[in-house]
Amino acid sequence: VQLQASGGGLVQAGGSLRLSCAASGRTSSSYYMGWFRQRPGKEREAVAAVTISGTSIYYADSAKGRFTISRDNAKNTLYLQMNNLKPEDTDVYYCAAGYGGGRYASGYEYWGQGTLVTVSS
């Protein structure tokens, strides 16, 4: 499966962005999916993750109450609605798909190219 992330950009603190991840090839409904972020010199860390059915969701503490992950299996698309953005949210965000899922990068075999989110103060 190929993943194409989009929706990043420059936004002021308090603003919102909606990231999208379009999957092609094998349908996304076969995989757990998630959004990760990675800072230079650090490992990728999960922001949010969702099961195949969408009924079970994980959020990092930093994302709880502000971000919402959702998936539309009919459209093969994963979303991350980001509200009340803070400067510390600035990072490259990656979407991922895999057979194991969860909060660790090792649970995902396929990765998108990343989309940059920049939040100005």
Side-chain angles (χ1 to χ4, degrees), residues 29 44 46-48 73 97-98 100 107:
S29 60
R44 289 182 182 180
V47 176
N73 289 338

Side-chain angles (χ1 to χ4, degrees), residues 52-102:
I52 294 173
S53 64
T55 57
S56 182
I57 293 175
Y58 163 81
Y59 289 106
D61 288 343
S62 60
K64 290 178 181 177
R66 299 188 300 126
F67 297 178
T68 302
I69 188 172
S70 61
R71 63 189 298 168
D72 186 335
N73 289 338
K75 295 182 178 180
N76 287 327
T77 304
L78 177 73
Y79 303 99
L80 184 68
Q81 179 66 43
M82 310 169 75
N83 297 329
N84 190 23
L85 282 160
K86 303 175 181 180
E88 51 264 42
D89 295 321
T90 295
D91 221 331
V92 178
Y93 286 75
Y94 298 87
C95 61
Y99 299 104

Side-chain angles (χ1 to χ4, degrees), residues 1-2 6 9 19 23 38 49 79 82 87 89 94 100 108:
V1 62
Q2 293 79 45
S6 62
L19 305 185
Q38 185 170 25
Y79 303 99
M82 310 169 75
D89 295 321
Y94 298 87
Y108 301 85

Side-chain angles (χ1 to χ4, degrees), residues 97-119:
Y99 299 104
R103 68 184 68 180
Y104 300 108
S106 58
Y108 301 85
E109 288 75 24
Y110 305 100
W111 294 86
Q113 83 289 2
T115 185
L116 176 63
V117 172
T118 303
V119 185

